[in-house]
Amino acid sequence: MQKNEQENITLTTSSTNLFAEIIIPLALPETYTWQIPERFIEVAQIGIRVEVQLRNKKYAGIIATLFSEYPKEFKPKEILNVLDDEPLVHEKQLQFWRWIAQYYMCTEGEVMQAAVPANLKLSGESILIWNEDANVDSLALTDEEFIVAEALDVKKELRLSEVQQILEATHVYPVIKKLIDKKVCFIWEELKEKYKPRTETFISLHSNYHQEKELENLLNNWSKAPKQLALLLAYIHFVKTEGEVIQAELLKKANVSAAQLKGLIDKNILIAEKRSVDRIASLPKQVSIDFTLSAIQQQAFENLQKQLQTTNVCLLHGITASGKTLIYIQLIEQYILQGKQVLYMLPEIALTTQVIRRIQKHFGGYIAIYHSKFNSNERVEIWNKVKTGDIKVVLGARSSLLLPFADLGLIIVDEEHDTSYKQQEPTPRYHARDAAIYYASLFNNAKVVLGSATPSVETYYNTQTKKYGLVELNERYGNVAMPSIELIDLKKVIVAEQVQQEKNTTPQKIILSPQLLNEIAISLKNKKQIILFQNRRGYSPYMICKTCGWIPQCNHCNVTLTYHKSANKLTCHYCATTYPAINTCAACGSHHFVQKNFGTEKIEEVLAEHFTDAKIARMDYDSIKGKNAHDNLIKLFEQHKIDILVGTQMVVKGLDFEHVNLVGIVDADGILNFTDFRVNERAFQLMEQVSGRAGRKDGVGKVLIQVNNMYHPVLNFIQLHDYKKLYNYELEGRKAYHYPPFFRLITLTFKHKEKHFAEQAAHIMMHGLQTHYQPYLQGPSQPVIDRIRNLYLWEILIKLPKDVSFIHQCKIAIFQQIAIIHNTKNLRGVMIVPDVDPI
């Protein structure tokens, strides 16, 4: 049934025909319709999970809509069971999912798959695993639960189909759910991460000794077991200073074994009690603003408030170190006092960890952090607290936008220009900044504040056309000066080195010029810190045989392998396959290889050779592993336990270090020479952002940019810190060549293990769209990297005028052509990936 034909209804006990569109975690083009049996009519409601069956497989789906009109095209099956007493998501989230699916050309099932924590999803392929640590009380189990538990104890794991055979029934989800709740078994994919309440053992004093006199008599008459006495005294001290006493912490601080504690428990002096605790520690909820905005910040704050009275979206365009975060904090305070929820989005986990420490002191337990590195247990706890409104402020990366907010009042999108806000793989390929603006519109009077020192061209264009409000902050906090920027001409450096060597040698790639090395030495002498930026990880991007020119390539992708010296491996940065280091050429058998270009590992090595006493660290994908690795490294740098930090884009994004006075951009040509229409914008953003890390407190900052092409226009904009010149320069070309912000882009990527099938599908699509959209089509063509993970790629680029109806009709035409291709012999296996607003 089509959504525009559906009639949402109010449930009453007299309803006889009730149907539901239910989202299941599959890529179905339309949400499927099931009938609600009469026995479930009173409890069925939008947002709850229900058990359904589709082609002999069972799924836990979410009711998206309820209606009474019988479907005309088919006879719907009945749902099998209702799994929840209250909705898992609010209706606003379901509306948001629907918009994401429609705008970004995916399915609601794929959005559900991305949004809902793993252990809240069930499917017919689920496996029950016996919990070896379970202490099962058979008397607490029903007959059906006991039968399944006994079978699990013997076989250790059961598929749902086997459970159905054992119970001779099809409706087994209620039994499974109760067994999970009783910790008899685990279910779903990543078994170690399945949700179960976390427990801690708390120690308290037995009621016999609650009176001070009884406790005093006990201590005064103690004659034996000195270790138990020491433990008891440690407990008394602990309870006075900490309040509640956790067993593990008590044993650690008292430096005794569990045997001494057991002795005190057996004597009825102490009591051990297991309790459920939150995995995510929370502070007391409080609002404490202990700073005063500068005059220019206060003016910007008041202008922002004024703008938000007349527009729902406003850009805060503040130069680096202007104190945008302080303005955000003032805004957050207002919404907390109103009882509203706030989502504060940041593009990277590295940013999230530093900012949360800074604003936690202002809002305490009102703040929660959320990002994709949390395990499923932690995600469920945050999900539930956001849904109930218990958490008021969520600080997180892109995925935090999919949380079920109850009463959202404000979304802050910091560093709004950052490409990390765009989801790439898997679907849905949404842009969190743009999606946030729609999401906020679903709540009553919710506002969106976009913040950046280097806004995207599209966002700034929207301010100039009055679609968004604009507030500018053009002075650094404390009136600190912007860093000076100097260019180092690498061509001259190479010539100078050749002259010094007094011979004609092949020009070598300069890694760190003498001028940059000298400035690093001066900064170290002055007890300052240095950041070096290179947008390429690893040691060497590729190796080449000196004899025949052979270059090692990935077996699964048409791309060269990067050498990582720390692991002594060659790695593909597209499919993550690793290979042993190569010493012999596969083509000619030579043992002579030359490493070309350099990454962060090589820079780290060169620095260690020149500055033997300096403490050097690297921040990139390879060196940062684990949930807390970013935070630990940032803390070390903040505490000045690291002198030089070498990094990729992770060091660019809004981090604030007061002792950094020198920033080096090691290879600006690598940033300026990408083949992309946004290359100038991205280069300016990267270099201006990393430059902004220098001299943030005392204004004595210097930025050195090593470059070959000294006359690139972007370098002039960077030296002047002039975003508006960059914006005007870019706008002219964008309009002439039909790029955003004047046109909308959709890319279609065709993937298949056979190159000719991918090409054939692309040509069929092109032919089918040409009738109505020929002027807006480019391609089909192969991308620069035309094979990834054993799949060959072909692409079509579509540039559409900004007409909502016209774009919608084009999307429909694309889906029609996809259906034609997938019904063509030999082409059913071609993956066709639409990407709306690609970056």
Side-chain angles (χ1 to χ4, degrees):
M1 172 173 253
Q2 297 300 314
K3 292 182 176 61
N4 58 6
E5 297 175 355
Q6 295 166 0
E7 177 190 356
N8 287 315
I9 65 169
T10 303
L11 298 179
T12 65
T13 55
S14 62
S15 300
T16 54
N17 283 326
L18 186 61
F19 304 92
E21 281 198 338
I22 295 172
I23 306 170
I24 59 176
L26 292 179
L28 298 178
E30 295 285 341
T31 48
Y32 202 74
T33 299
W34 278 269
Q35 184 168 8
I36 307 294
E38 191 169 349
R39 67 184 182 278
F40 293 134
I41 284 178
E42 289 189 3
V43 294
Q45 54 183 312
I46 290 173
I48 66 169
R49 292 179 304 164
V50 293
E51 179 186 350
V52 297
Q53 183 170 318
L54 187 67
R55 291 184 63 84
N56 299 320
K57 289 185 180 179
K58 291 184 170 64
Y59 300 93
I62 295 176
I63 295 180
T65 57
L66 289 164
F67 51 95
S68 58
E69 183 180 342
Y70 199 97
K72 297 176 182 177
E73 296 84 3
F74 63 96
K75 181 180 179 181
K77 296 180 180 179
E78 291 187 347
I79 68 167
L80 303 178
N81 215 336
V82 173
L83 303 178
D84 297 315
D85 296 326
E86 59 182 36
L88 184 72
V89 294
H90 302 298
E91 288 191 49
K92 287 184 175 66
Q93 274 74 52
L94 294 171
Q95 192 174 344
F96 184 43
W97 292 4
R98 192 173 302 123
W99 177 85
I100 289 177
Q102 291 171 350
Y103 185 84
Y104 291 103
M105 301 181 69
C106 60
T107 69
E108 291 178 57
E110 290 169 319
V111 182
M112 173 189 171
Q113 187 78 351
V116 178
N119 78 303
L120 296 178
K121 294 174 289 191
L122 297 169
S123 79
E125 296 301 315
S126 299
I127 299 173
L128 299 180
I129 306 294
W130 173 253
N131 182 6
E132 296 289 353
D133 299 326
N135 185 14
V136 180
D137 181 4
S138 59
L139 297 177
L141 302 178
T142 66
D143 291 344
E144 289 181 326
E145 292 166 9
F146 179 81
I147 292 170
V148 176
E150 195 173 41
L152 273 170
D153 191 15
V154 175
K155 293 193 67 176
K156 303 308 178 188
E157 67 178 57
L158 292 172
R159 294 187 177 275
L160 291 188
S161 57
E162 293 174 316
V163 177
Q164 290 169 342
Q165 291 174 359
I166 291 169
L167 297 180
E168 297 181 348
T170 56
H171 303 166
V172 298
Y173 272 118
V175 176
I176 292 170
K177 187 174 185 299
K178 288 175 183 176
L179 288 173
I180 295 170
D181 291 341
K182 294 174 182 178
K183 303 182 178 63
V184 175
C185 60
F186 301 106
I187 195 169
W188 195 236
E189 300 155 339
E190 298 175 67
L191 303 179
K192 293 181 180 179
E193 297 185 354
K194 295 322 298 170
Y195 180 71
K196 55 180 180 179
R198 179 180 179 179
T199 59
E200 290 280 8
T201 301
F202 287 82
I203 305 300
S204 58
L205 198 61
H206 195 279
S207 58
N208 293 342
Y209 303 102
H210 282 182
Q211 298 296 323
E212 189 173 339
K213 185 176 180 180
E214 281 78 4
L215 181 59
E216 187 177 337
N217 288 336
L218 174 68
L219 295 174
N220 290 337
N221 295 313
W222 199 285
S223 57
K224 295 181 180 179
K227 288 188 177 180
Q228 289 184 6
L229 176 61
L231 175 58
L232 180 58
L233 293 173
Y235 164 80
I236 294 169
H237 174 74
F238 207 152
V239 81
K240 287 181 179 178
T241 56
E242 302 291 335
E244 291 188 314
V245 180
I246 296 174
Q247 175 179 306
E249 295 177 1
L250 175 62
L251 295 177
K252 184 178 179 180
K253 289 199 174 185
N255 195 25
V256 297
S257 68
Q260 277 80 46
L261 177 60
K262 186 176 184 301
L264 291 176
I265 293 171
D266 292 342
K267 292 176 181 178
N268 289 330
I269 296 173
L270 294 179
I271 297 173
E273 177 190 9
K274 279 197 173 184
R275 297 186 216 159
S276 294
V277 296
D278 289 339
R279 285 179 169 81
I280 302 155
S282 60
L283 299 171
K285 292 182 178 180
Q286 60 182 15
V287 176
S288 173
I289 307 299
D290 58 357
F291 61 85
T292 303
L293 296 178
S294 67
I296 193 167
Q297 285 178 325
Q298 184 64 35
Q299 183 181 353
F301 177 60
E302 291 171 2
N303 288 342
L304 185 57
Q305 290 178 303
K306 186 177 179 180
Q307 290 273 1
L308 292 175
Q309 290 175 1
T310 57
T311 183
N312 291 326
V313 184
C314 187
L315 170 66
L316 178 58
H317 181 200
I319 63 173
T320 57
S322 58
K324 294 184 291 294
T325 304
L326 300 181
I327 294 176
Y328 299 152
I329 290 170
Q330 293 279 12
L331 269 180
I332 291 170
E333 178 193 22
Q334 290 188 348
Y335 282 88
I336 287 178
L337 296 177
Q338 293 171 24
K340 298 284 188 179
Q341 290 177 299
V342 177
L343 171 58
Y344 186 155
M345 284 203 299
L346 294 145
E348 288 282 355
I349 297 169
L351 268 177
T352 308
T353 53
Q354 188 181 41
V355 173
I356 195 169
R357 292 202 311 273
R358 293 185 172 183
I359 68 172
Q360 249 180 350
K361 69 175 184 178
H362 300 299
F363 303 116
Y366 283 115
I367 300 287
I369 185 172
Y370 186 85
H371 52 66
S372 58
K373 293 229 171 170
F374 277 131
N375 64 42
S376 294
N377 292 327
E378 293 166 327
R379 289 192 197 189
V380 169
E381 292 187 5
I382 294 178
W383 177 279
N384 289 330
K385 288 183 178 181
V386 171
K387 182 165 67 81
T388 59
D390 185 48
I391 289 175
K392 291 300 180 188
V393 183
V394 174
L395 189 66
R398 179 182 62 234
S399 56
S400 60
L401 184 65
L402 299 175
L403 288 169
F405 288 90
D407 190 13
L408 190 61
L410 174 68
I411 299 179
I412 297 169
V413 186
D414 199 14
E415 309 296 344
E416 65 83 27
H417 64 276
D418 199 285
T419 56
S420 299
Y421 282 123
K422 182 71 159 75
Q423 168 76 7
Q424 299 294 340
E425 294 288 347
T427 53
R429 293 174 179 81
Y430 66 101
H431 196 300
R433 176 197 63 208
D434 300 338
I437 293 171
Y438 176 80
Y439 191 29
S441 73
L442 300 178
F443 294 84
N444 183 33
N445 204 33
K447 306 296 182 180
V448 178
V449 174
L450 310 175
S452 179
T454 55
S456 68
V457 169
E458 292 93 325
T459 294
Y460 198 77
Y461 177 79
N462 284 334
T463 68
Q464 301 305 292
T465 57
K466 308 302 180 184
K467 184 177 179 180
Y468 299 166
L470 173 63
V471 174
E472 295 185 303
L473 193 55
N474 296 320
E475 182 182 291
R476 276 186 152 189
Y477 186 63
N479 203 23
V480 172
M482 293 292 285
S484 63
I485 296 181
E486 299 178 18
L487 305 181
I488 299 174
D489 189 341
L490 290 179
K491 290 180 180 177
K492 291 183 178 179
V493 174
I494 292 172
V495 170
E497 286 197 355
Q498 287 179 325
V499 169
Q500 189 176 4
Q501 294 170 4
E502 295 182 345
K503 59 182 179 180
N504 291 323
T505 57
T506 304
Q508 298 295 313
K509 185 83 173 179
I510 297 294
I511 297 176
L512 300 177
S513 62
Q515 184 179 345
L516 180 53
L517 289 170
N518 182 58
E519 291 292 343
I520 292 172
I522 293 172
S523 291
L524 291 174
K525 184 179 179 181
N526 293 329
K527 307 298 182 184
K528 294 292 185 179
Q529 292 173 295
I530 301 99
I531 291 177
L532 296 184
F533 170 65
Q534 166 66 343
N535 204 25
R536 184 180 282 121
R537 59 189 176 96
Y539 188 84
S540 175
Y542 66 98
M543 302 166 61
I544 183 169
C545 174
K546 201 172 181 180
T547 304
C548 71
W550 177 76
I551 300 174
Q553 288 200 329
C554 178
N555 295 332
H556 313 292
C557 311
N558 288 347
V559 66
T560 58
L561 296 172
T562 299
Y563 177 58
H564 290 255
K565 191 172 183 179
S566 59
N568 195 29
K569 301 273 188 185
L570 293 171
T571 302
C572 174
H573 285 180
Y574 285 81
C575 69
T577 304
T578 59
Y579 303 83
I582 292 176
N583 299 308
T584 303
C585 176
C588 70
S590 170
H591 303 308
H592 301 290
F593 281 90
V594 177
Q595 292 167 347
K596 290 291 186 178
N597 221 317
F598 58 90
T600 50
E601 269 191 343
K602 177 67 174 177
I603 296 172
E604 186 181 25
E605 181 179 271
V606 172
L607 286 168
E609 292 171 357
H610 283 87
F611 307 103
T612 54
D613 296 329
K615 296 180 284 292
I616 304 165
R618 180 163 45 89
M619 181 187 282
D620 57 26
Y621 178 81
D622 303 310
S623 62
I624 303 296
K625 301 290 184 183
K627 187 169 61 181
N628 300 315
H630 288 90
D631 196 26
N632 294 336
L633 182 57
I634 289 166
K635 282 179 181 177
L636 290 173
F637 200 63
E638 284 178 328
Q639 296 163 5
H640 211 152
K641 294 180 179 178
I642 295 170
D643 298 313
I644 307 174
L645 182 63
V646 183
T648 56
Q649 291 188 46
M650 290 182 179
V651 302
V652 174
K653 302 177 180 182
L655 298 173
D656 189 0
F657 305 113
E658 62 178 296
H659 300 296
V660 174
N661 80 326
L662 177 64
V663 167
I665 298 173
V666 181
D667 182 20
D669 297 288
I671 307 170
L672 292 165
N673 293 334
F674 278 108
T675 53
D676 186 272
F677 76 92
R678 287 191 175 97
V679 61
N680 292 334
E681 177 188 359
R682 297 276 167 75
F684 180 89
Q685 288 166 344
L686 278 172
M687 289 192 277
E688 180 68 10
Q689 288 284 344
V690 75
S691 299
R693 304 315 106 203
R696 294 175 71 89
K697 297 300 179 184
D698 54 19
V700 186
K702 180 180 284 189
V703 180
L704 299 182
I705 300 176
Q706 296 188 155
V707 64
N708 283 288
N709 183 5
M710 294 283 289
Y711 301 104
H712 197 291
V714 170
L715 296 174
N716 178 250
F717 306 146
I718 289 290
Q719 285 188 291
L720 298 173
H721 300 286
D722 197 331
Y723 170 81
K724 290 180 182 177
K725 280 191 175 181
L726 177 278
Y727 169 78
N728 291 326
Y729 178 81
E730 281 294 286
L731 211 61
E732 186 177 341
R734 301 281 184 95
K735 190 172 185 178
Y737 295 102
H738 295 180
Y739 282 111
F742 302 101
F743 280 72
R744 294 284 189 197
L745 302 184
I746 300 175
T747 59
L748 301 176
T749 303
F750 302 81
K751 303 180 180 182
H752 198 274
K753 61 183 180 181
E754 299 292 340
K755 183 178 178 179
H756 62 281
F757 286 147
E759 181 181 7
Q760 184 183 348
H763 281 282
I764 291 174
M765 175 67 74
M766 192 73 174
H767 179 75
L769 294 178
Q770 278 178 337
T771 304
H772 299 291
Y773 304 99
Q774 197 276 333
Y776 312 108
L777 303 175
Q778 289 186 5
S781 61
Q782 290 181 276
V784 176
I785 307 219
D786 62 353
R787 185 173 68 106
I788 297 176
R789 296 185 176 92
N790 292 319
L791 296 176
Y792 287 92
L793 310 179
W794 280 78
E795 290 181 343
I796 294 174
L797 175 63
I798 309 173
K799 300 177 180 179
L800 297 170
K802 293 173 69 174
D803 181 309
V804 175
S805 177
F806 189 74
I807 294 172
H808 178 67
Q809 291 303 316
C810 183
K811 289 177 180 178
I812 292 174
I814 291 169
F815 282 129
Q816 290 171 343
Q817 292 303 313
I818 290 174
I820 290 171
I821 292 168
H822 284 162
N823 279 286
T824 302
K825 189 178 180 180
N826 297 328
L827 299 184
R828 289 169 188 163
V830 176
M831 295 172 57
I832 304 174
V833 181
D835 190 1
V836 179
D837 301 335
I839 56 170

